[in-house]
Amino acid sequence: MVGVFGGRVASAVIGALTLALGSAEANAQNAPINLNVRAAVQSLDVDSAARPLGVVTTAAARTVAVPLPPSPASTAIATQSVAATLPAQALSASLINSVQREASWLYKAGWPLYALVDRYSFGAPLGEQANCIAVAVYHEARGESLEGQLAVARVIMNRAASGKYPPSWCGVVKQPWQFSFVNPRSGQFPAVDTASAAWARAQGITRLAMANAVPSLTSDVLWYHANYVSPSWGRRLSMAQKIGAHIFYR
């Protein structure tokens, strides 16, 4: 306020003095000058109804937004935000591609499988087909290593893509007499402890398997069995790999 009105008061006083001096010179008289400075100042009172021209913004009040590199969580959230405008198939593909790009980069950068599984154990809810893989991993291999769990997930996906089995992941898992945990007559699954660490890991394994982000079994490996049994069909196949308690065949 002082800065604004001080200049105006000074201008008024100087103007009044100039006017008075000019009048004195014009009349060429030595009459005393009656200068009412108080009246000159009061005449410059600001109208209380006047509106300010703007608001002064201090440097402390300004906020600068600094962009950060995307994280899988933020990528997933950003992708889910368009769920209302994208078909379910496109949304699923977008989420898979998001995981695939980042997980592949992290794997090449030296992240071990357990760290990747932990990172992707939580995220966008699994769809129906992906949930079938997660349930199979949970019931078939939750006591196995993460490599063994990933291999089970890959066998299910390999079967669906082979043309020799049902073309969907749920169809493969629910096919009668193929997976011992499934009721062969109803195709129903037993309950899952959704609050358990084993279920979280099964979801992380499923997301990584769908994204094909971590090397695992080749696409021609379609069968496996526990090492404590010896089915006759195993002798007709070529063993691909033994991982934990499971033996995988092509």
Side-chain angles (χ1 to χ4, degrees), residues 172-186:
V172 167
V173 175
K174 293 181 178 181
Q175 187 176 17
W177 313 110
Q178 295 299 308
F179 291 87
S180 59
F181 74 93
V182 181
N183 186 314
R185 293 180 176 82
S186 65

Side-chain angles (χ1 to χ4, degrees), residues 24-192:
E25 290 177 357
N27 294 327
Q29 297 177 353
N30 293 324
I33 300 173
N34 294 323
L35 180 61
N36 192 341
V37 176
R38 184 186 298 274
V41 172
Q42 290 178 346
S43 68
L44 296 174
D45 285 346
V46 179
D47 182 2
S48 60
R51 302 181 63 183
L53 296 178
V55 178
V56 177
T57 303
T58 63
R62 292 195 294 268
T63 302
V64 179
V66 180
L68 297 175
S71 66
S74 63
T75 303
I77 291 172
T79 305
Q80 291 176 69
S81 67
V82 298
T85 59
L86 284 178
Q89 215 171 16
L91 178 62
S92 176
S94 180
L95 287 171
I96 291 172
N97 290 338
S98 173
V99 173
Q100 198 278 334
R101 286 192 299 271
E102 188 191 63
S104 296
W105 185 90
L106 292 174
Y107 179 78
K108 291 176 183 177
W111 278 48
L113 181 57
Y114 72 83
L116 291 171
V117 171
D118 285 346
R119 189 172 182 87
Y120 298 108
S121 291
F122 303 93
L126 297 177
E128 179 187 4
Q129 295 296 318
N131 189 71
C132 284
I133 294 180
V135 171
V137 170
Y138 175 85
H139 285 295
E140 288 279 299
R142 67 176 179 269
E144 293 294 298
S145 66
L146 295 176
E147 288 78 8
Q149 294 183 43
L150 182 60
V152 168
R154 289 304 311 174
V155 165
I156 294 169
M157 298 176 71
N158 288 348
R159 283 191 175 190
S162 69
K164 301 176 181 179
Y165 289 88
S168 70
W169 298 336
C170 285
V172 167
V173 175
K174 293 181 178 181
Q175 187 176 17
W177 313 110
Q178 295 299 308
F179 291 87
S180 59
F181 74 93
V182 181
N183 186 314
R185 293 180 176 82
S186 65
Q188 292 184 339
F189 299 151
V192 168

